[in-house]
Amino acid sequence: MNTAQPETIQRLDYTVPSFLVDHIDLTFDLAPSATSVSATTRFKHNPASDSREIVLNGQDLELVKIVMNGRTLEKPDYALDHGELRIPNAPDDVTLVIDTLVRPDKNTSLMGLYISNGNFFTQCEAEGFRKITYYPDRPDVMASYTVTLFADKKKYPVLLSNGNLVDQGDLPKGRHFAKWEDPFKKPSYLFALVAGNLVCQEETFRLADGRDVLLQVWVEDGNLDKTPHAMESLKHSIAWDESRFGLELDLDRFMIVAVSDFNMGAMENKGLNIFNTRYVLANPRIATDQDYANIESVVGHEYFHNWTGDRVTCRDWFQLSLKEGLTVFRDQEFSADRTGSDSGRAVKRIEDVRTLRQVQFPEDAGPMAHPVRPDSYQEINNFYTVTIYEKGAEVVRMYQTLLGRDGFKKGMDLYFKRHDGNAVTCADFLAAMADANGRDLSQFELWYSQAGTPRVKLESDYDSLNRTLSLTLSQSCPPTPGQTEKKPFLIPIAIGLLDAHGKEIPVRVKGSDNASDTCVLELTQEKQTFTLVDVPEKPVISALRNFSAPVILEFEQTDEELLHLLANDTDSFNRWEAGQRLAMRRLLELTHAVRENRPLTLDKPFIDAFRTVLTNTSLDPALRELALTLPSETIIAEKMDEIDPRAIHTARQFMRKTLANALEKEWQKAYKNNLTDGEYRPIPQDAGKRALKNLALSYLLLCDSTDTCHMAIDQYRQANNMTDRLAALTSLVHSGCMQKLPEVKELLEHFYKEYENEPLVIDKWFSLQSTSPTTSIESIRELMEHPAFTFRNPNRARSLIFGFCHNNMAQFHAEDGSGYEFWAKYLLELDRINPQVAARLARCMDQYKRYVPSLRQPAERALKQVSKQELSRDTREIINKTLSA
């Protein structure tokens, strides 16, 4: 750690590697306190480079020996400084043998080779391989790998690495070995090994071409009953990629391994995916409906990386969204298709856009704003962001919107034909899409190079005499760090029209012979007018259908028009959106009223609109649940120039309580009508009913009646699944029932004792308390003293510390600044253990300069206090950018 300013790496400074690697042979003698690593690497000079210097990266390594072409090197044959080992004047062909020692049991960063629950695991993306051996640790150096693992057989009976198992056997003194070969060239970040006492569920799966492959899900003993859903998700993923994109599994086996200590969600190492346990382990006793959906999505995501990330990878880390944005889009489409219905696809789309607005839009408006393809970074770990992933996925989705599903598939086919086995750039992907469809997409490149969320203003003018509708669209994008001037984007705006009876009016643009219910207008200039013809009456406009572009739409519509869309729009996303806009108007007004000490009221037409949605049984329950969930406090804050977190919380709680009391009978009926009897099934239909029922319960607990608390207590006691049990307990704690009824505290204690041997459930126990508006900072500190809490496990730290700082607006933003002091203290403690996780915690202060003055000053004081301390590169970059924004 250091207090110096980290070096800034620029995208335009990219140079090709001076030497390429043909093959690397790795040998590990595994021991927790001192693992010996021997790497034999064959280098060839890169004819595209004028340099004759071999540059190898290394971090936290003990160098034992270097042998080049049979000769042991001594200084000054090489230089070792600042994490780089340099060998000057190397010949064209070089074989290097490098022996190192690493200390896995001391590695709390969870990058490189580390120990978790007595087992060995690796995490090498982005720059973890350099903590294993000296190597050109960059994604554009691709090589084939042979890996041999030696270990004590009793302690580590399972030895895994990438590719195919080619040899294994016993050795003297109770030891054994396993040898793995990966036939496909890969960059170092995709290397993986696992060694330990594990068990697996395995199945043989037949691919579309008739070939049988072995699928394995490896877990710690005692968790085998929690693997079937992950296995089924893997099989569905393989089948979907074959049918949707014609992409097959290319290895003889595919392995998933679950580990409890993991910085990320999962990692797509070639053929050996390593997962956070939260995205593998599930059964009705410990997993919610959302857990089941997340597991299927993440398993799909990592499997889809086999082609979009492994077979074709990124040239440098600036191109990260090339693989991540594309693969998020693929897993979103997979999850949507898996719902099996149009309403299911709409639910998935709404959920994805809510995430974008709640997390990515604030990032675009804050000090860490960066393009989908960044221009610079100081620590690459900080750029695994929602901009790279979720906004990157929206950029990929726009290709499909512009080119059509078939055109997108043609572009994907050409992309793989051109680049299979190579490390490429976002520009290469764009070129494949353009060339396959004969389109000029040069303007579309701005989505990669310009940061910020574009704003699109829509104005309409109906001409009844000529039966035309003029739509004037104008776009702008606010300044972001390093970018003050923005050029116009190519923005696809999907438009639909409804008549007075709620029926679709065919949309036809002047000059076109085609008419359809939805038309995609391509906005390419700062301001453009589109004329729609044959419009028989003044319509209600349904704009930006299915959220056709990641923009903020500014379009003035009356409450009556929004109510019309809420009741009739055939585009389910915009039907939901109309309700959100109606609610947001009132939430913003209520927030201003709180700040100005004015009386708080909620108008009857809005309450009636809410009632109409709640009682509309023709709507899918999952869609109703989404429509009846108010915009989050974070999304409300994004609509305000000056953020007053406690006023926002007060306003939103007032609206929820008012809707609860005004619609108590309707909530009661919705609760009873959506009970799911019998055996628990994590299918979309049942999950939607549970979601609506549990939303109704959360509203009922806000009614001025204690009977509803007993209703939730009964649900907790009678539940046969984690979804209903956790929802009941969360509603009881968050509503304040714990202060009214002693039974609630007893239930909280019962929940812990019932699941104390289930770490993922104990994470939920910490989280439901840390996010409760009734939980004070003092209570959080008490929870940190609980024997089950530890900073060293990222999931546990996220459940308590992150839950409070990121998701408890009412308590974290205390007027006395105690929340910020808490954040500063534990950020520093976490940074000493795991910088990557600490840097994520630092992000909760991104927006501090927009806080009201009474909060801005203590927030800045806490930030400056942190900035004066010794920090990791990861956290230093975040703090500096936040203060200097």
Side-chain angles (χ1 to χ4, degrees):
M1 296 188 184
N2 58 75
T3 56
Q5 295 297 320
E7 176 190 2
T8 298
I9 300 168
Q10 303 288 341
R11 178 174 62 87
L12 295 180
D13 289 342
Y14 171 82
T15 57
V16 298
S18 55
F19 280 77
L20 302 174
V21 177
D22 178 49
H23 181 81
I24 179 171
D25 195 323
L26 284 165
T27 301
F28 290 82
D29 191 343
L30 294 163
S33 60
T35 290
S36 298
V37 183
S38 182
T40 301
T41 310
R42 298 201 304 263
F43 291 88
K44 285 187 177 294
H45 182 253
N46 184 357
S49 173
D50 295 328
S51 174
R52 309 294 308 192
E53 184 175 50
I54 296 177
V55 181
L56 310 177
N57 306 107
Q59 184 180 347
D60 301 332
L61 299 174
E62 184 178 329
L63 180 61
V64 176
K65 182 175 64 174
I66 309 176
V67 178
M68 185 173 80
N69 291 348
R71 183 174 69 90
T72 300
L73 299 186
E74 305 286 349
K75 291 186 177 180
D77 296 329
Y78 67 91
L80 181 56
D81 191 31
H82 295 100
E84 288 185 342
L85 193 157
R86 295 175 174 269
I87 303 173
N89 303 317
D92 283 349
D93 295 291
V94 173
T95 298
L96 273 184
V97 180
I98 300 180
D99 293 344
T100 56
L101 273 179
V102 296
R103 314 287 180 183
D105 61 345
K106 303 295 184 186
N107 184 1
T108 63
S109 71
L110 309 184
M111 292 293 290
L113 180 66
Y114 66 94
I115 300 285
S116 174
N117 288 347
N119 300 317
F120 288 92
F121 297 92
T122 56
Q123 170 58 33
C124 292
E125 188 176 357
E127 296 177 338
F129 192 76
R130 65 190 59 189
K131 301 183 80 168
I132 293 172
T133 188
Y134 288 99
Y135 189 81
D137 189 15
R138 46 189 289 172
D140 56 350
V141 176
M142 303 175 71
S144 57
Y145 281 63
T146 301
V147 179
T148 307
L149 308 174
F150 294 92
D152 182 291
K153 187 172 183 178
K154 186 177 180 180
K155 293 180 179 177
Y156 313 108
V158 176
L159 303 175
L160 308 175
S161 192
N162 310 83
N164 298 315
L165 179 63
V166 295
D167 196 10
Q168 61 181 329
D170 293 334
L171 298 168
K173 299 181 180 180
R175 292 169 61 77
H176 71 139
F177 78 96
K179 186 175 183 179
W180 294 81
E181 285 186 356
D182 188 348
F184 298 95
K185 287 196 169 189
K186 64 174 180 284
S188 55
Y189 82 84
L190 291 173
F191 167 78
L193 77 77
V194 172
N197 192 359
L198 304 171
V199 294
C200 83
Q201 177 190 354
E202 64 178 29
E203 293 187 24
T204 300
F205 184 79
R206 180 153 293 176
L207 302 178
D209 66 359
R211 184 166 57 90
D212 288 336
V213 295
L214 180 65
L215 307 181
Q216 296 178 319
V217 180
W218 292 90
V219 294
E220 292 181 359
D221 194 15
N223 286 327
L224 210 51
D225 65 319
K226 306 179 184 82
T227 60
H229 181 64
M231 176 62 81
E232 289 302 305
S233 298
L234 177 57
K235 293 191 291 186
H236 290 311
S237 303
I238 295 170
W240 183 85
D241 219 14
E242 288 177 333
S243 63
R244 176 74 184 264
F245 290 106
L247 301 173
E248 280 199 341
L249 177 59
D250 51 6
L251 294 167
D252 297 335
R253 70 168 69 195
F254 193 90
M255 299 170 283
I256 287 174
V257 181
V259 56
S260 58
D261 296 300
F262 203 67
N263 287 339
M264 303 182 179
M267 179 60 209
E268 72 268 19
N269 319 294
K270 182 71 176 180
L272 178 59
N273 288 185
I274 300 179
F275 276 65
N276 191 314
T277 49
R278 67 182 296 192
Y279 296 115
V280 173
L281 304 182
N283 62 27
R285 181 173 180 271
I286 71 161
T288 64
D289 291 329
Q290 191 60 58
D291 292 328
Y292 275 93
N294 289 343
I295 288 168
E296 184 173 69
S297 173
V298 175
V299 167
H301 180 95
E302 304 309 327
Y303 174 75
F304 302 145
H305 265 313
N306 189 56
W307 280 90
T308 51
D310 294 3
R311 287 286 289 259
V312 184
T313 193
C314 47
R315 184 195 70 180
D316 54 68
W317 291 121
F318 297 103
Q319 319 297 329
L320 181 58
S321 195
L322 173 75
K323 71 182 186 78
E324 295 300 349
L326 175 55
T327 306
V328 169
F329 168 75
R330 276 157 47 74
D331 83 53
Q332 289 175 351
E333 288 289 279
F334 165 66
S335 295
D337 285 346
R338 286 286 301 147
T339 65
S341 67
D342 289 342
S343 63
R345 289 190 66 86
V347 167
K348 174 60 178 166
R349 186 67 183 131
I350 292 167
E351 290 171 344
D352 292 338
V353 174
R354 280 205 311 191
T355 298
L356 191 80
R357 287 175 171 169
Q358 183 156 322
V359 189
Q360 198 280 319
F361 278 16
E363 183 168 274
D364 258 352
M368 284 295 291
H370 58 276
V372 169
R373 183 192 61 210
D375 291 320
S376 65
Y377 64 80
Q378 294 173 1
E379 174 51 61
I380 184 55
N381 289 329
N382 288 334
F383 280 83
Y384 283 75
T385 63
V386 283
T387 298
I388 298 295
Y389 282 70
E390 275 70 24
K391 186 174 181 178
E394 294 298 317
V395 171
V396 174
R397 184 176 296 275
M398 284 189 288
Y399 284 114
Q400 182 166 276
T401 300
L402 291 165
L403 304 174
R405 187 168 166 138
D406 291 341
F408 183 80
K409 172 65 165 55
K410 285 166 61 179
M412 289 283 283
D413 290 345
L414 182 59
Y415 176 64
F416 292 121
K417 182 179 179 180
R418 284 179 175 177
H419 303 299
D420 188 11
N422 294 307
V424 297
T425 67
C426 296
D428 292 316
F429 184 78
L430 184 148
M433 286 288 159
D435 294 348
N437 291 276
R439 282 287 306 264
D440 178 3
L441 294 176
S442 54
Q443 186 179 7
F444 193 81
E445 189 274 339
L446 293 170
W447 282 105
Y448 291 102
S449 60
Q450 293 188 157
T453 304
R455 293 177 176 269
V456 174
K457 184 176 182 180
L458 171 59
E459 298 171 298
S460 64
D461 182 26
Y462 179 67
D463 183 341
S464 58
L465 183 63
N466 294 304
R467 300 187 2 141
T468 62
L469 178 68
S470 295
L471 299 179
T472 299
L473 292 164
S474 54
Q475 62 167 298
S476 61
C477 190
T480 51
Q483 293 184 339
T484 55
E485 301 294 329
K486 306 291 177 71
K487 297 178 181 178
F489 293 85
L490 165 54
I491 305 177
I493 305 291
I495 296 289
L497 305 176
L498 299 181
D499 67 15
H501 303 289
K503 303 298 183 183
E504 296 274 3
I505 298 174
V507 182
R508 183 165 73 88
V509 180
K510 184 178 182 180
S512 170
D513 296 329
N514 300 320
S516 60
D517 289 345
T518 300
C519 175
V520 177
L521 307 177
E522 295 187 16
L523 175 62
T524 60
Q525 301 169 26
E526 288 187 7
K527 191 171 186 178
Q528 278 175 267
T529 298
F530 300 85
T531 301
L532 310 184
V533 297
D534 299 329
V535 183
E537 62 181 80
K538 184 178 181 179
V540 175
I541 300 168
S542 174
L544 203 66
R545 283 187 157 181
N546 204 40
F547 200 66
S548 57
V551 302
I552 295 171
L553 180 66
E554 298 174 348
F555 180 31
E556 289 299 322
Q557 288 182 289
T558 65
D559 277 5
E560 290 72 21
E561 288 173 317
L562 292 176
L563 287 167
H564 192 68
L565 293 171
L566 180 62
N568 301 296
D569 203 333
T570 56
D571 184 87
S572 295
F573 177 88
N574 268 14
R575 198 169 187 169
W576 167 81
E577 177 77 332
Q580 294 293 291
R581 291 175 64 189
L582 284 166
M584 182 61 78
R585 284 180 181 175
R586 286 147 180 85
L587 285 165
L588 291 173
E589 172 55 31
L590 285 168
T591 301
H592 290 307
V594 171
R595 296 190 65 185
E596 295 165 6
N597 292 315
R598 290 189 279 114
L600 305 185
T601 59
L602 191 61
D603 59 293
K604 186 176 182 298
F606 178 75
I607 295 172
D608 289 342
F610 229 70
R611 178 183 286 108
T612 300
V613 174
L614 179 56
T615 57
N616 186 353
T617 55
S618 67
L619 276 179
D620 185 284
L623 278 173
R624 274 193 284 163
E625 187 270 337
L626 288 169
L628 296 166
T629 299
L630 300 180
S632 71
E633 294 176 7
T634 303
I635 291 176
I636 300 168
E638 273 309 292
K639 297 289 185 180
M640 306 186 71
D641 294 329
E642 190 173 71
I643 300 172
D644 187 335
R646 296 176 76 81
I648 291 170
H649 175 75
T650 301
R652 190 174 185 273
Q653 286 298 97
F654 169 81
M655 180 181 280
R656 293 191 75 236
K657 187 172 180 63
T658 303
L659 291 169
N661 283 302
L663 306 176
E664 183 174 4
K665 291 181 181 179
E666 288 85 354
W667 290 120
Q668 291 274 10
K669 189 173 182 180
Y671 183 87
K672 293 174 183 176
N673 289 349
N674 286 280
L675 295 171
T676 51
D677 298 324
E679 184 180 353
Y680 171 79
R681 301 180 302 167
I683 60 175
Q685 296 86 344
D686 286 5
K689 294 183 73 174
R690 279 188 290 271
L692 180 56
K693 176 195 69 178
N694 288 323
L695 179 72
L697 180 65
S698 73
Y699 272 101
L700 286 167
L701 287 177
L702 297 176
C703 293
D704 297 325
S705 166
T706 56
D707 291 342
T708 54
C709 288
H710 290 290
M711 178 188 293
I713 291 171
D714 290 342
Q715 175 173 309
Y716 176 90
R717 290 173 174 160
Q718 297 166 13
N720 69 345
N721 62 83
M722 179 53 68
T723 302
D724 285 341
R725 176 164 277 192
L726 183 66
L729 187 58
T730 300
S731 292
L732 284 164
V733 173
H734 285 217
S735 65
C737 285
M738 193 156 63
Q739 284 71 37
K740 302 176 187 176
L741 297 172
E743 295 107 302
V744 179
K745 189 170 184 180
E746 292 171 9
L747 289 187
L748 200 59
E749 293 171 355
H750 173 270
F751 188 89
Y752 178 80
K753 291 177 181 177
E754 179 74 12
Y755 299 104
E756 62 182 328
N757 295 317
E758 298 287 356
L760 295 176
V761 183
I762 299 306
D763 289 338
K764 300 178 194 301
W765 182 79
F766 277 110
S767 181
L768 76 88
Q769 294 177 83
S770 70
T771 57
S772 171
T774 64
T775 301
S776 65
I777 293 174
E778 290 71 24
S779 298
I780 297 295
R781 289 196 177 100
E782 289 176 13
L783 283 168
M784 291 180 68
E785 298 300 319
H786 193 282
F789 180 75
T790 173
F791 269 112
R792 291 180 179 270
N793 178 266
N795 287 352
R796 192 57 47 86
R798 284 187 281 254
S799 69
L800 184 58
I801 308 300
F802 284 56
F804 178 72
C805 296
H806 277 284
N807 300 313
N808 194 337
M809 189 171 277
Q811 294 291 345
F812 176 62
H813 297 284
E815 286 288 346
D816 62 2
S818 56
Y820 307 142
E821 292 171 6
F822 172 91
W823 166 85
K825 178 179 178 180
Y826 294 109
L827 173 68
L828 292 170
E829 187 168 334
L830 188 56
D831 193 49
R832 288 188 285 269
I833 298 168
N834 190 324
Q836 193 173 140
V837 176
R840 298 283 194 274
L841 179 60
R843 294 293 306 275
C844 74
M845 300 291 271
D846 279 2
Q847 302 289 332
Y848 92 94
K849 288 191 176 179
R850 291 175 57 203
Y851 296 168
V852 291
S854 60
L855 295 178
R856 196 181 312 147
Q857 293 172 0
E860 185 166 3
R861 187 164 58 245
L863 278 158
K864 288 182 176 178
Q865 173 192 337
V866 169
S867 72
K868 294 174 184 176
Q869 306 302 312
E870 190 175 9
L871 297 174
S872 66
R873 284 169 50 92
D874 307 62
T875 303
R876 171 71 57 195
E877 179 178 21
I878 303 297
I879 297 298
N880 286 352
K881 286 186 174 180
T882 302
L883 283 169
S884 63

